Amino acid sequence: MSRVHDALRRAEQAGLLTPAVPRANGEARPGAGIHQDHGPNLANLLEQVEEIPFRAAADSLLIDVARPHEAPMEEFRTLRTRLNHMKTLQPIHTVVITSPSPAEGKSLSAANLALVQAHLAGNTTLLADFDFRRPIIHTLFGIDRSPGITDYLLGRVPLHQAIRKVAGTNLYLMPAGEAVINPLELLNLREVKQLLDRLPTLFNWIVLDSPPLLFAADANLLSTLSHGTLLVVRVGHTTIDSVTRAMQSLCNNNVLGIVVNGARRGELYSKYTYYHSYYTPKEEEEKRAFDDVRGQGADPTPAAQGTPLGLGLSAEQAPAERAGEAPVAVAEPEPKAAKPEEHPPE
């Protein structure tokens, strides 16, 4: 009997056998659906993707594009800059976001990283929820969980129906899809590797949210199929032992770095808040200066008001910024103490 199985396996690998038909109970065999588009040409796929409005949940803690100067926004932009620099040194397109244990902020970090990447012009970014056990990306963005990744892998929908585009942005979302009872077996399908190999032809960045490392083997498997892994830890929650075990479980599969989550605002952001308040005038202060100048009958232009232009630039420095040069904040020298007046000898 084993020889028969071997012969059938060799025939299937050689393409001599036709794909199996759907099962009698209506469940499709993974990878055998009629909607699987195995061709390498994906040029027109994004044009077929459904466009949805941005509907972030009120308590989602997602970064706000309308408030770009907040400290959390700056931290994720710093992370984006470092990843983009690493991309110039080595080919990085697909990044797995995971954590040692649950409740350490990996899904929130993945969503915010995808958001800041999508803020760059022409930087198409896909946020895919590969946490089939406890998916949350669809909740953060207020979309339906299905159709999604599992529906595509099971052959129920074509790829473009499993993706949504956030209107007005470069961000694309791929929710988890319908719940499955065997997530790890589904991730071991060859269709998963084919999908992750083809997505970089469509997107500059693919951010994968995955289950915690110490509670499931999903993230370990995804890390072997991706270009890099980011480990998210939480201050006061993650132990050193958990980090050590998580790093050992990854087997050095191109760990890009560790993202520290849950830091105290007073410890990390106090200096930044002072810097930002010094170089960026608040709206209330601008309005008050505008009203004062208007009450005096002067021309309420920035030069007449004496308010900074750009990033802490005075009115005299403004032409350099308007000429296209990058604004540079220059610290003014401290005034020296006046020397005592010298009297000529009598």
Side-chain angles (χ1 to χ4, degrees):
M1 184 64 67
S2 60
R3 296 179 180 178
V4 175
H5 287 297
D6 292 340
L8 290 175
R9 188 180 300 107
R10 288 195 298 270
E12 183 178 3
Q13 293 175 352
L16 301 178
L17 297 180
T18 58
V21 297
R23 300 177 184 177
N25 58 3
E27 181 181 356
R29 185 180 70 86
I34 60 174
H35 297 295
Q36 292 285 355
D37 48 345
H38 295 288
N41 186 13
L42 300 175
N44 300 326
L45 186 140
L46 294 184
E47 298 177 1
Q48 308 174 40
V49 173
E50 177 187 1
E51 192 169 292
I52 60 173
F54 183 73
R55 295 188 301 259
D59 56 346
S60 61
L61 298 181
L62 294 177
I63 56 179
D64 189 358
V65 183
R67 305 170 69 180
H69 298 296
E70 289 188 345
M73 183 81 168
E74 286 293 337
E75 293 300 324
F76 280 103
R77 279 197 286 234
T78 301
L79 177 61
R80 177 189 66 188
T81 302
R82 294 181 179 179
L83 288 176
N84 290 343
H85 174 66
M86 296 178 67
K87 189 176 182 179
T88 62
L89 305 177
Q90 57 180 319
I92 300 176
H93 293 280
T94 310
V95 178
V96 177
I97 310 295
T98 185
S99 61
S101 306
E104 291 176 328
K106 63 173 184 60
S107 298
L108 182 63
S109 299
N112 284 332
L113 175 60
L115 278 171
V116 295
Q117 287 286 6
H119 288 169
L120 297 179
N123 197 29
T124 53
T125 305
L126 174 67
L127 175 61
D129 195 347
F130 274 83
D131 190 350
F132 300 154
R133 303 173 189 270
R134 295 188 63 181
I136 195 176
I137 297 299
H138 65 283
T139 303
L140 294 178
F141 288 89
I143 63 175
D144 295 331
R145 174 175 172 174
S146 180
I149 301 175
T150 59
D151 302 290
Y152 168 74
L153 294 177
L154 292 174
R156 298 170 182 168
V157 297
L159 181 58
H160 72 271
Q161 291 186 8
I163 304 176
R164 302 353 169 238
K165 182 182 187 299
V166 179
T169 67
N170 295 317
L171 180 63
Y172 292 78
L173 304 175
M174 200 171 184
E178 290 291 340
V180 293
I181 60 176
N182 52 351
L184 189 57
E185 285 74 10
L186 191 63
L187 289 177
N188 273 283
L189 294 176
R190 61 182 179 182
E191 283 77 15
V192 176
K193 186 179 185 306
Q194 293 175 355
L195 175 64
L196 295 180
D197 288 341
R198 295 165 59 196
L199 287 177
T201 63
L202 293 173
F203 305 98
N204 294 338
W205 283 98
I206 300 99
V207 181
L208 309 181
D209 184 23
S210 66
L213 281 165
L214 302 182
F215 286 77
D218 303 24
N220 288 301
L221 177 59
L222 289 173
S223 65
T224 62
L225 304 176
S226 304
H227 298 142
T229 304
L230 279 178
L231 187 65
V232 179
V233 300
R234 187 174 185 85
V235 175
H237 183 276
T238 311
T239 63
I240 297 180
D241 179 65
S242 297
V243 177
T244 304
R245 292 168 54 197
M247 294 293 291
Q248 292 175 349
S249 67
L250 287 173
C251 301
N252 298 324
N253 286 326
N254 197 12
V255 180
L256 302 177
I258 296 179
V259 179
V260 179
N261 191 23
R264 294 182 180 179
R265 180 181 299 270
E267 294 178 353
L268 294 183
Y269 300 148
S270 57
K271 293 183 179 180
Y272 170 79
T273 304
Y274 170 77
Y275 172 88
H276 180 264
S277 62
Y278 181 80
Y279 285 98
T280 305
K282 299 180 181 179
E283 295 181 1
E284 296 180 358
E285 296 178 357
E286 291 180 344
K287 184 177 182 302
R288 189 183 307 113
F290 182 86
D291 294 338
D292 292 343
V293 174
R294 185 174 56 182
Q296 297 174 3
D299 183 16
T301 59
Q305 296 175 37
T307 55
L309 302 176
L311 295 179
L313 297 179
S314 62
E316 292 77 6
Q317 295 169 308
E321 184 185 11
R322 287 195 293 267
E325 299 178 6
V328 179
V330 181
E332 297 181 359
E334 297 182 358
K336 298 181 179 180
K339 296 182 179 180
E341 184 178 358
E342 298 181 0
H343 299 279
E346 296 180 355

